[in-house]
Every structure is written in structure tokens, then in C-alpha cells.
Amino acid sequence: MSDVSRPSPAPARTAAVIPAAGRGVRLGPGAPKALRALNGTPMLIHAVRALAASRAVSLVVVVAPPDGAGEVKSLLDAHALPERTDFLVVPGGETRQESVKAGLDALPPDYDIVLVHDAARPLVPVDTVDAVIEAVRDGAPAVVPALPLTDTVKEVEPAATPGDPEPVVATPRRARLRAVQTPQGFDRATLIRAHATVTDQVTDDAGMVEQLGLTVVVVPGHEEAFKVTRPLDLVLAEAVLARRRANDGF
């Protein structure tokens, strides 16, 4: 028996794709949502830093509005980002699905794990990012961070006229429900196959993998990984940043 030890295989390389091509109409008129300032810094920069904070993430691909790639690249160049991480900006499409695919198409071949992260979730903690990556490394084809629901949820028959009363159809068991966050993590080949074969418009990439018949697993999310969608969310995000600065000088 040989006593020559074999080197252990290098861990799979991880890239993150951040689709940031949306307009964010629910935050009102003005700049695209991802470029809105949060504590004086665009939300997109906060989101990029949050993903790059993971030492496992060596490439972040930002998918910009179709006519705004130059502006987004200038934005990244103007802010301090980790030197150990590579950054790439590509133009996106008209839909989120098209934009994620544009980010996927731009990845070099030597990345086996892909994270997809909402630019509107600027405060996701690095521990959540690392937990998603670890679950993919352990063999899950798709991983989502999620939180249990605190509210009871009702399924309704949508009203024909917005604002009209809506009849309740069912009350799902809350214990079986989760509110899904990002980053969502994927085996790269699985995500590419999902984008090549699923044509329905879906609200997240994990839903596309589900349509392939594969199992998506959940890891614990974090309350600070909320999505900044409404003006009130900006107030909450500012408060989180203020608490972080007070606690650890973030």
C-alpha cells in the first residue's frame, strides 16, 4: 500500500450573480431601486459587499440595466470593494429571468457553484451566504435561505377590481410555510439546465429547479436579509446599519 498521500480536491469555486436591472417601481419614481442610496451608499454596493464578504465567493457578476452597464461599472469602480474578489458587469434583459441568464452566460468555465442574489437585499449577513454555499458543496442541487412565517396566511380568490373584498379559499398550515430569501445557491450545471428548459415566468430561480423535478433544500435565513421594496423598508434598513455601526463599527 502506497504511503504517498493524495492531495485533497480543491473546494468548488463559487460565483455570485446579482441581477440589478429592475426599475423598482414600488419605491416610487427616480433611480432604479438597486441604485437608491442607503446610508449614503447605493443599495447595490451594499449587496455586492455582502456577497464578497464570503471568502468562498471569488467572482461577483452584476447584471445592469440594458442601457446602464457603463454607469454600474463606474459605480463599482468608485467604491471600495475586496481586492481578493473579481467583479464583472454585464447588461441584462427585460425580465429577471433574462438577466440571470445573462449573468450565467458571462461566467468563466471554472466555477461550479452559482449564487443568485437580489440587489434589493443589501444587508444579508455573511453567515447566511456561507450556509447556502456549504449546503451546495454537500450535494444539494439548489439551496434557499428561508424564515418561518409569523403571520397566518390566507389563500384567496383575487378580486376582479383591486381593493374589492376577496373570498378566502384556504388557510395553509403555517408550520409548513417558509418565506424565501436570497442568495439562492445552485450547482452550476443544474441552474444552466433550468434556464435552458423552463420557459414559464417564475419568481425565483429555485422554482425553476423545482420544475425540473429536483429537490430544493432550505437553510435558515436571517431577519436582516429582508427585501427593500417599500419606503418603510428603507427606514428599517437604515436602522439596521445604524445598529451595526454602534455594535461593531460596520
Side-chain angles (χ1 to χ4, degrees), residues 225-249:
F226 62 90
K227 192 171 188 178
V228 178
T229 303
R230 304 156 300 173
L232 183 60
D233 300 326
L234 281 171
V235 176
L236 179 58
E238 294 275 9
V240 171
L241 283 175
R243 188 182 67 188
R244 288 183 181 181
R245 286 197 305 272
N247 288 346
D248 53 23

Side-chain angles (χ1 to χ4, degrees), residues 134-157:
E134 192 62 34
V136 180
R137 283 181 175 170
D138 287 344
V143 180
V144 297
L147 292 175
L149 297 185
T150 56
D151 296 325
T152 296
V153 175
K154 301 288 186 184
E155 181 183 352
V156 302
E157 185 65 42

Side-chain angles (χ1 to χ4, degrees), residues 38-123:
L38 178 58
N39 192 36
T41 300
M43 275 202 291
L44 175 61
I45 297 299
H46 286 286
V48 167
R49 287 173 173 164
L51 273 290
S54 170
R55 294 193 171 275
V57 175
S58 52
L59 171 65
V60 176
V61 179
V62 178
V63 187
D67 57 352
E71 179 185 1
V72 170
K73 187 176 188 314
S74 297
L75 196 68
L76 294 184
D77 290 342
H79 290 81
L81 299 171
E83 292 184 2
R84 58 180 165 74
T85 309
D86 292 328
F87 300 93
L88 181 64
V89 178
V90 298
E94 293 301 317
T95 67
R96 183 184 186 282
Q97 207 163 320
E98 291 174 0
S99 293
V100 172
K101 187 175 187 307
L104 274 175
D105 290 345
L107 293 181
D110 55 340
Y111 286 89
D112 302 309
I113 296 174
V114 181
L115 305 180
V116 181
H117 183 59
D118 294 333
R121 296 183 190 271
L123 303 179

Side-chain angles (χ1 to χ4, degrees), residues 154-173:
K154 301 288 186 184
E155 181 183 352
V156 302
E157 185 65 42
T161 303
D164 283 357
E166 299 174 320
V168 171
V169 175
T171 303
R173 286 178 55 198

